Amino acid sequence: MPRTPNSRHTAETSIDRGPLLAVLGVSLDPELLQLALTHRSYAYEHGGLPHNERLEFLGDSVLGLAITTKLYRDNPTLPEGDLARMRAAVVSTVALAEVAERISLGPYLLLGRGEELTGGRQKASILADTMEALFGAVYLDNGQDAATALVLRLVGPLLNDSARFGAAMDPKTSLQEAAAAHGGESPVYEVTSSGPDHDRRFSATVTVVGLVSATGTGTSKKQAEMAAALSAWTDLNARTS
């Protein structure tokens, strides 16, 4: 049996979402918008409420079709493999999370306490999934044309920087390949950590001797190394392009 709504639930669901709708440039049924913003952790804590994963599933297809169609029409001479790589780059978790951060989506998310305590409002995976849920919600409430227009307005511009988002999907490999292409040695990583066990922070420095050095931080060694690698790749790409 669903639990009686508590004060936290009431406060969070009564947040003014007008500014978010203004940024999106659409009108949405309030219940559908709330569903799109509801993470499964929040739904579980409140007695098994519906959450946004079905909308995310729908929005993934809306996003993919809009970007695929644009790529196909705008690049009549590019082979399928190049089109696929460009699409994968801009519909990636990294790219969608950047869009979410640009429209300040984080404060509107409905998250469980565990996700709140571990920085869920800044987690790329949660932000990206919620963007897809919003695309799905817009499709259901406003139709395909409106959903496509929203995707192209928010995600379409990233196609101009698809190489960076492609690198962000696997920055360590991308840096390795870029270093080799420019005659450099293999990247070398050094990682340090600080803070208590429950809030550990990692800092990584990556060096390609004679070419580039960069740092990155994260909540895990892997995350810090990936951040450092992407920074180094971006720097190396800018210097040699």
Side-chain angles (χ1 to χ4, degrees):
M1 179 179 295
R3 301 172 189 169
T4 302
N6 58 31
S7 58
R8 175 177 174 241
H9 175 66
T10 302
E12 289 176 334
T13 56
S14 63
I15 293 173
D16 179 16
R17 294 164 184 154
L20 174 61
L21 290 173
V23 171
L24 295 176
V26 297
S27 60
L28 269 177
D29 175 80
E31 291 187 4
L32 191 58
L33 176 58
Q34 180 164 311
L35 179 61
L37 298 171
T38 301
H39 187 257
R40 64 176 179 271
S41 62
Y42 184 91
Y44 175 78
E45 285 188 5
H46 291 83
L49 296 171
H51 53 73
N52 64 8
E53 290 184 1
R54 282 172 52 85
L55 279 178
E56 174 197 337
F57 169 77
L58 176 61
D60 176 70
S61 293
V62 173
L63 169 66
L65 179 60
I67 294 299
T68 300
T69 302
K70 179 173 177 58
L71 282 168
Y72 182 86
R73 289 175 173 169
D74 291 356
N75 303 276
T77 62
L78 278 184
E80 180 270 344
D82 290 343
L83 295 174
R85 280 189 289 273
M86 293 176 70
R87 178 181 61 192
V90 301
V91 303
S92 66
T93 295
V94 173
L96 293 178
E98 185 167 304
V99 172
E101 290 171 354
R102 190 171 74 237
I103 67 172
S104 300
L105 181 60
Y108 297 98
L109 304 179
L110 295 176
L111 301 175
R113 291 187 183 278
E115 288 294 352
E116 286 279 12
L117 293 173
T118 56
R121 295 187 188 279
Q122 291 79 45
K123 285 185 180 178
S125 59
I126 292 178
L127 290 170
D129 290 347
T130 307
M131 283 304 312
E132 290 182 335
L134 285 170
F135 294 145
V138 172
Y139 173 84
L140 288 179
D141 207 29
N142 293 271
Q144 184 171 344
D145 288 347
T148 297
L150 178 62
V151 169
L152 295 183
R153 180 162 59 82
L154 295 181
V155 183
L158 304 186
L159 289 167
N160 296 324
D161 202 12
S162 61
R164 177 169 67 89
F165 291 108
M169 294 170 66
D170 188 356
K172 295 182 72 173
T173 298
S174 295
L175 178 60
Q176 176 84 31
E177 293 173 348
H182 293 95
E185 300 178 7
S186 294
V188 176
Y189 295 85
E190 295 182 2
V191 181
T192 60
S193 63
S194 60
D197 289 343
H198 70 276
D199 189 24
R200 205 75 171 157
R201 299 293 298 181
F202 294 81
S203 178
T205 299
V206 61
T207 302
V208 180
V209 177
L211 287 177
V212 68
S213 180
T215 60
T217 61
T219 56
S220 68
K221 177 182 176 182
K222 179 181 178 180
Q223 189 180 80
E225 288 182 340
M226 290 176 65
L230 181 58
S231 179
W233 179 91
T234 302
D235 191 8
L236 182 57
N237 191 61
R239 291 182 188 182
T240 57
S241 60

